[in-house]
Amino acid sequence: MLRDCPSGGYRFLPGIPAFSSGVVAIPGREIVHATLAAPVPWREGFALIEGHLRDVARPRTALCGIELRSPAPFTFEGFAALNDGYR
């Protein structure tokens, strides 16, 4: 069942912790996909996102998805620790 995030302007289908199974814009809003020109460390990337959201007068909850890349495979424990760092 979809859950509303009115402050973000979308609805999402819950998934496992730290993930959703999908997201759709609510009427009157749109989901914009942006890609950085070059990879940056994840903390720097989140700072860029926060600055952009501030510049366009949107709350942090407007971030409805993100794709992260890692230089090497994670163990399950390592992946959980990474997710805990930005959730």
Side-chain angles (χ1 to χ4, degrees), residues 24-41:
V24 294
I26 62 172
R29 292 287 184 184
E30 68 177 325
I31 294 173
V32 176
H33 182 257
T35 303
L36 296 176
V40 297

Side-chain angles (χ1 to χ4, degrees), residues 10 20 23 31-34 46 49 61-68:
Y10 57 87
S20 75
V23 62
I31 294 173
V32 176
H33 182 257
F46 276 99
I49 292 165
T61 54
L63 176 63
C64 65
I66 189 162
E67 297 174 23
L68 300 174

Side-chain angles (χ1 to χ4, degrees), residues 2 6 10 21 25 30 35 39 49 53-54 56 65-66 70 83 87:
L2 288 173
Y10 57 87
S21 295
E30 68 177 325
T35 303
I49 292 165
L53 291 172
R54 187 175 38 254
V56 297
I66 189 162
S70 63
N83 288 327
R87 284 193 350 211

